[in-house]
Structure formats: C-alpha cells, structure tokens
Coordinates of all heavy atoms in Angstrom, one line a residue:
Q357 N 21.7 10.0 11.7 CA 20.8 9.8 12.8 C 19.3 10.0 12.4 O 19.0 10.7 11.5 CB 21.1 10.9 13.9 CG 20.3 10.7 15.2 CD 20.8 11.7 16.2 OE1 21.9 12.3 16.1 NE2 20.1 11.9 17.3
V358 N 18.4 9.2 13.0 CA 17.0 9.3 12.8 C 16.4 10.4 13.7 O 16.5 10.3 15.0 CB 16.3 8.0 13.1 CG1 14.8 8.2 13.0 CG2 16.7 6.9 12.1
H359 N 15.9 11.5 13.1 CA 15.3 12.5 13.9 C 13.8 12.5 13.9 O 13.1 13.0 14.8 CB 15.8 13.9 13.4 CG 17.2 14.2 13.9 ND1 17.4 14.8 15.1 CD2 18.4 14.1 13.3 CE1 18.7 15.0 15.2 NE2 19.3 14.6 14.1
D360 N 13.2 11.8 12.9 CA 11.8 11.7 12.9 C 11.4 10.3 13.5 O 11.4 9.3 12.9 CB 11.3 11.7 11.4 CG 9.8 11.7 11.3 OD1 9.1 11.6 12.4 OD2 9.2 11.9 10.2
K361 N 11.2 10.4 14.8 CA 11.0 9.1 15.6 C 9.7 8.5 15.2 O 9.5 7.2 15.5 CB 11.0 9.5 17.1 CG 12.3 10.1 17.6 CD 13.5 9.2 17.3 CE 14.8 9.7 18.1 NZ 15.2 11.1 17.7
A362 N 8.7 9.2 14.7 CA 7.5 8.6 14.3 C 7.6 7.9 12.9 O 6.8 7.1 12.5 CB 6.4 9.6 14.2
G363 N 8.7 8.2 12.2 CA 9.0 7.5 10.9 C 7.9 7.9 9.9 O 7.2 8.8 9.9
S364 N 7.9 7.0 8.9 CA 7.0 7.2 7.7 C 6.3 5.9 7.4 O 7.0 4.8 7.4 CB 7.8 7.6 6.5 OG 8.5 8.8 6.7
M365 N 5.0 5.9 7.3 CA 4.2 4.7 7.0 C 4.1 4.6 5.5 O 3.6 5.5 4.8 CB 2.9 4.8 7.6 CG 2.9 4.8 9.1 SD 3.1 3.2 9.9 CE 1.4 2.7 10.1
A366 N 4.6 3.5 4.9 CA 4.6 3.3 3.5 C 3.3 2.6 3.0 O 2.7 1.8 3.8 CB 5.9 2.4 3.1
M367 N 3.0 2.8 1.8 CA 1.8 2.2 1.3 C 1.8 2.1 -0.3 O 2.6 2.7 -1.0 CB 0.6 3.2 1.7 CG 0.7 4.5 1.0 SD -0.8 5.6 1.4 CE -0.5 5.8 3.2
I368 N 0.8 1.3 -0.7 CA 0.4 1.4 -2.2 C -1.0 2.0 -2.2 O -1.9 1.4 -1.6 CB 0.4 -0.1 -2.8 CG1 1.8 -0.7 -2.7 CG2 0.0 0.0 -4.2 CD1 1.9 -2.1 -3.1
R369 N -1.1 3.1 -2.8 CA -2.4 3.8 -2.8 C -3.1 3.6 -4.2 O -2.5 3.8 -5.2 CB -2.1 5.3 -2.6 CG -3.3 6.2 -2.6 CD -4.1 6.1 -1.3 NE -5.0 7.2 -1.1 CZ -5.9 7.3 -0.1 NH1 -6.0 6.3 0.8 NH2 -6.6 8.4 0.0
F370 N -4.4 3.3 -4.1 CA -5.2 3.1 -5.3 C -6.0 4.3 -5.6 O -6.5 5.1 -4.7 CB -6.2 1.9 -5.0 CG -5.5 0.6 -4.7 CD1 -5.5 0.2 -3.4 CD2 -4.9 -0.1 -5.7 CE1 -4.9 -1.0 -3.0 CE2 -4.3 -1.3 -5.3 CZ -4.3 -1.8 -4.0
N371 N -6.3 4.5 -6.9 CA -7.3 5.5 -7.3 C -8.6 4.7 -7.5 O -8.8 3.9 -8.4 CB -6.9 6.1 -8.7 CG -7.9 7.2 -9.1 OD1 -9.0 7.3 -8.6 ND2 -7.5 7.9 -10.1
Q372 N -9.6 5.0 -6.6 CA -10.8 4.2 -6.6 C -11.9 4.8 -7.5 O -13.0 4.3 -7.5 CB -11.3 4.1 -5.1 CG -10.2 3.4 -4.3 CD -10.7 3.0 -2.9 OE1 -11.9 2.9 -2.7 NE2 -9.8 2.8 -2.0
L373 N -11.5 5.8 -8.2 CA -12.4 6.4 -9.2 C -12.4 5.6 -10.6 O -13.3 5.7 -11.4 CB -12.2 7.9 -9.5 CG -12.3 8.8 -8.3 CD1 -12.0 10.2 -8.7 CD2 -13.6 8.7 -7.6
N374 N -11.2 5.0 -10.8 CA -11.0 4.3 -12.1 C -11.0 2.8 -11.9 O -10.4 2.2 -10.9 CB -9.7 4.7 -12.7 CG -9.7 6.1 -13.2 OD1 -10.8 6.6 -13.6 ND2 -8.6 6.8 -13.2
A375 N -11.5 2.0 -12.9 CA -11.4 0.6 -12.9 C -9.9 0.2 -13.1 O -9.2 0.9 -13.7 CB -12.3 0.0 -14.0
P376 N -9.5 -0.9 -12.5 CA -10.3 -2.0 -11.8 C -10.4 -1.8 -10.3 O -11.1 -2.5 -9.6 CB -9.5 -3.2 -12.1 CG -8.1 -2.8 -12.1 CD -8.1 -1.4 -12.8
F377 N -9.7 -0.7 -9.8 CA -9.6 -0.6 -8.4 C -10.8 0.2 -7.8 O -10.8 0.5 -6.6 CB -8.3 0.1 -8.0 CG -7.1 -0.7 -8.4 CD1 -6.1 -0.2 -9.1 CD2 -7.0 -2.1 -8.1 CE1 -5.0 -0.9 -9.5 CE2 -5.9 -2.8 -8.5 CZ -4.9 -2.3 -9.2
D378 N -11.8 0.4 -8.6 CA -13.1 0.9 -8.1 C -13.9 -0.3 -7.4 O -14.8 0.0 -6.7 CB -14.0 1.5 -9.2 CG -14.2 0.5 -10.3 OD1 -13.4 -0.4 -10.5 OD2 -15.2 0.8 -11.1
K379 N -13.4 -1.5 -7.5 CA -14.0 -2.7 -6.9 C -13.2 -3.1 -5.7 O -12.0 -3.4 -5.8 CB -14.1 -3.9 -7.9 CG -14.8 -3.6 -9.1 CD -14.9 -4.9 -10.0 CE -15.7 -4.7 -11.3 NZ -15.0 -3.8 -12.2
P380 N -13.8 -3.0 -4.5 CA -13.1 -3.4 -3.3 C -12.6 -4.9 -3.3 O -11.5 -5.1 -2.8 CB -14.2 -3.3 -2.2 CG -15.2 -2.4 -2.7 CD -15.2 -2.6 -4.2
A381 N -13.3 -5.8 -4.0 CA -12.8 -7.1 -4.1 C -11.5 -7.2 -4.9 O -10.6 -8.1 -4.5 CB -13.8 -8.0 -4.7
V382 N -11.3 -6.4 -5.9 CA -10.0 -6.4 -6.6 C -8.9 -5.9 -5.7 O -7.8 -6.5 -5.7 CB -10.1 -5.5 -7.9 CG1 -8.8 -5.4 -8.6 CG2 -11.2 -6.1 -8.8
R383 N -9.2 -4.9 -4.9 CA -8.1 -4.3 -4.0 C -7.8 -5.4 -3.0 O -6.6 -5.6 -2.6 CB -8.6 -3.0 -3.4 CG -9.0 -1.9 -4.4 CD -9.2 -0.6 -3.7 NE -10.3 -0.5 -2.8 CZ -11.5 -0.2 -3.0 NH1 -11.9 0.0 -4.3 NH2 -12.4 -0.2 -2.1
R384 N -8.8 -6.0 -2.4 CA -8.6 -7.0 -1.4 C -7.8 -8.2 -1.9 O -7.0 -8.8 -1.2 CB -9.9 -7.5 -0.8 CG -10.6 -6.6 0.2 CD -11.6 -7.4 1.0 NE -12.7 -8.0 0.2 CZ -13.8 -7.3 -0.2 NH1 -14.0 -6.1 0.2 NH2 -14.7 -7.9 -1.0
A385 N -8.0 -8.6 -3.2 CA -7.4 -9.7 -3.7 C -5.8 -9.6 -3.7 O -5.1 -10.6 -3.6 CB -7.8 -9.9 -5.2
L386 N -5.3 -8.4 -3.8 CA -3.9 -8.1 -3.8 C -3.2 -8.3 -2.5 O -2.0 -8.5 -2.4 CB -3.6 -6.7 -4.4 CG -4.0 -6.5 -5.8 CD1 -3.9 -5.1 -6.2 CD2 -3.0 -7.3 -6.7
L387 N -4.0 -8.3 -1.4 CA -3.4 -8.4 -0.1 C -2.7 -9.7 0.2 O -1.6 -9.7 0.8 CB -4.5 -8.2 1.0 CG -5.1 -6.8 1.2 CD1 -6.3 -6.9 2.1 CD2 -4.1 -5.8 1.7
A388 N -3.2 -10.8 -0.4 CA -2.6 -12.1 -0.1 C -1.2 -12.4 -0.6 O -0.6 -13.4 -0.2 CB -3.6 -13.2 -0.6
G389 N -0.7 -11.5 -1.4 CA 0.6 -11.7 -2.0 C 1.6 -10.6 -1.5 O 2.8 -10.7 -2.0
I390 N 1.2 -9.7 -0.7 CA 2.1 -8.6 -0.3 C 3.0 -9.1 0.9 O 2.5 -9.6 1.9 CB 1.3 -7.4 0.2 CG1 0.5 -6.8 -1.0 CG2 2.1 -6.4 0.9 CD1 1.4 -6.1 -2.0
T391 N 4.3 -8.9 0.7 CA 5.3 -9.2 1.8 C 5.9 -7.9 2.1 O 6.7 -7.3 1.4 CB 6.3 -10.2 1.3 OG1 5.6 -11.4 0.9 CG2 7.3 -10.5 2.4
Q392 N 5.6 -7.3 3.3 CA 6.0 -6.0 3.6 C 7.5 -5.9 3.7 O 8.1 -4.8 3.3 CB 5.4 -5.5 4.9 CG 3.9 -5.2 4.9 CD 3.4 -4.6 6.2 OE1 4.0 -4.8 7.3 NE2 2.3 -4.0 6.1
S393 N 8.2 -6.9 4.1 CA 9.7 -6.8 4.2 C 10.3 -6.6 2.9 O 11.4 -6.0 2.8 CB 10.2 -8.1 4.9 OG 9.9 -9.3 4.2
D394 N 9.7 -7.1 1.8 CA 10.3 -6.8 0.4 C 10.4 -5.3 0.2 O 11.4 -4.9 -0.4 CB 9.4 -7.5 -0.6 CG 9.5 -9.0 -0.6 OD1 10.4 -9.6 0.1 OD2 8.6 -9.7 -1.2
Y395 N 9.3 -4.6 0.5 CA 9.3 -3.2 0.2 C 10.2 -2.4 1.2 O 10.9 -1.5 0.8 CB 7.8 -2.7 0.4 CG 6.9 -3.3 -0.6 CD1 6.3 -4.5 -0.4 CD2 6.6 -2.6 -1.8 CE1 5.5 -5.1 -1.3 CE2 5.8 -3.2 -2.8 CZ 5.2 -4.4 -2.5 OH 4.4 -5.0 -3.5
M396 N 10.3 -2.9 2.4 CA 11.1 -2.2 3.4 C 12.6 -2.4 3.1 O 13.4 -1.5 3.2 CB 10.8 -2.7 4.8 CG 9.5 -2.3 5.3 SD 9.3 -0.5 5.4 CE 8.5 -0.1 3.8
M397 N 13.0 -3.6 2.6 CA 14.4 -3.8 2.3 C 14.8 -3.1 1.1 O 15.9 -2.6 0.9 CB 14.7 -5.3 2.2 CG 14.8 -6.1 3.5 SD 15.4 -7.7 3.4 CE 14.0 -8.6 2.7
A398 N 13.9 -3.0 0.1 CA 14.2 -2.2 -1.1 C 14.4 -0.7 -0.8 O 15.3 -0.1 -1.3 CB 13.0 -2.4 -2.1

C-alpha cells in the first residue's frame, strides 16, 4: 500500500559550483532530451 500520498519528486541535481554545470546554458541544454517516463519506469 502507498501510505505517502504526497509521493516523492524525482530529479537530477547539479553541482553548480563546478564546471560545466556552473553555466545555466549547459544545464538548460539537457532538458530537450529528458523523457520523464524513462526514469519513472526504471
């Protein structure tokens, strides 16, 4: 049974102190290929 009705929000978290993810444009570039259902089914 699911008892945590709010569930859990999944994510890929970046360290923005280190290159290359200190650049917002690099982080934004990755959005266009993310398919959330792939992560959820896994």
Side-chain angles (χ1 to χ4, degrees):
Q357 188 172 346
V358 175
H359 282 276
D360 187 354
K361 302 302 194 297
S364 301
M365 295 282 268
M367 65 176 67
I368 299 171
R369 181 72 162 177
F370 301 105
N371 182 348
Q372 299 189 22
L373 301 182
N374 288 332
F377 300 128
D378 55 339
K379 299 183 180 69
V382 173
R383 303 192 298 270
R384 280 197 302 271
L386 292 168
L387 291 170
I390 292 291
T391 302
Q392 289 187 341
S393 59
D394 291 346
Y395 296 84
M396 293 297 92
M397 284 192 286

